[in-house]
Amino acid sequence: MYKEFWNLSRYPFENAPDPEFFYFSPRHREALQWLSYGIHERKGALVLTGEVGCGKTVISRRVVRELPEDAYDVAVVVNPSLSPTDLLREILFQLGVNPVPKSKIEILHELNASLLGGHRRGRHTVVIIDEAQAIKNAGTLEELRLLLNFQLNDCYLLTLILIGQPEWAERLSQLPQLEQRIAVSYNLHPLDRDETARYVRHRLRTAGVNGEEEVFTSGALDAVHGATDGVPRRINTLCDRTLLTASQLGLNRIDEELVRRVAGR
């Protein structure tokens, strides 16, 4: 509704995990590098944690985007609150196996064949489990651990990436059989004030704002950080509402007062 007013090609603050809008804060860049390292070096199990809205899913999408399509097979499970067998079936489905076997033994045979077949063709399989903290079934967690048993003498046949909120890391600490298989672990923090400002400007430029233009004043950006604690999802929501409000008022520059008004402070 406000794209025309601000002369934008796209809405800059959508909360969809669009890799095009990924902002490389030092923390996000480091998280991306660690995950990429774990995948390329076939380290087995990797963990990414962080508060709600900090950008974990966006990072995972960016990692997938940067993997050469001719060298990797990727399965992304976004709702892992499944029984052990259903989780394995979902992984197979995401890897393109259709129809997916129903019995547990057939599922395991198919998964082994898929992983070995990919390895022989020079491909590696990456399985991403998003929202891992939603897994309540102890058997499902055990099945994830057992996935790491798919390996040859010198390498894993898959890389397992577990993404979840901070309580997921706490839960892992109570599961030594799985925790001890984790080769890479990174905890993502919110953005600081300067990173928040760069984040907002980056997304505006990506959406078509001229790099010389300052849509948000310095004070407005301070207010954005103060109202959102530097959490990207909250920043997106607040900035989206603020751009809309400013367009309705006919304002071509956003100041601290407007941000505070929209944020309800």
Side-chain angles (χ1 to χ4, degrees), residues 100-156:
V100 177
K102 292 185 177 181
S103 76
K104 179 73 171 291
I105 189 66
E106 290 176 324
I107 291 170
L108 291 173
H109 286 166
E110 184 66 44
L111 185 56
N112 186 61
S114 177
L115 296 175
L116 277 174
H119 178 75
R120 289 168 182 153
R121 297 191 305 274
R123 303 179 67 84
H124 185 62
T125 299
V126 178
V127 176
I128 299 174
I129 307 294
D130 206 350
E131 302 292 348
Q133 77 282 343
I135 301 174
K136 306 302 181 186
N137 189 318
T140 301
L141 289 174
E142 176 65 5
E143 208 62 66
L144 288 174
R145 183 183 72 84
L146 293 175
L147 283 176
L148 298 171
N149 288 339
F150 287 102
Q151 56 183 289
L152 301 178
N153 290 335
D154 59 345
C155 69
Y156 287 100

Side-chain angles (χ1 to χ4, degrees), residues 5 36 64 98 102 116 157 175:
F5 180 85
S36 297
V64 170
N98 190 22
K102 292 185 177 181
L116 277 174
L157 289 175
L175 300 167

Side-chain angles (χ1 to χ4, degrees), residues 20-23 197-207:
E20 287 289 337
F21 283 91
F22 185 82
Y23 166 67
R198 288 192 288 267
Y199 174 88
V200 171
R201 290 167 179 149
H202 165 76
R203 293 189 73 106
L204 286 169
R205 285 196 299 271
T206 302

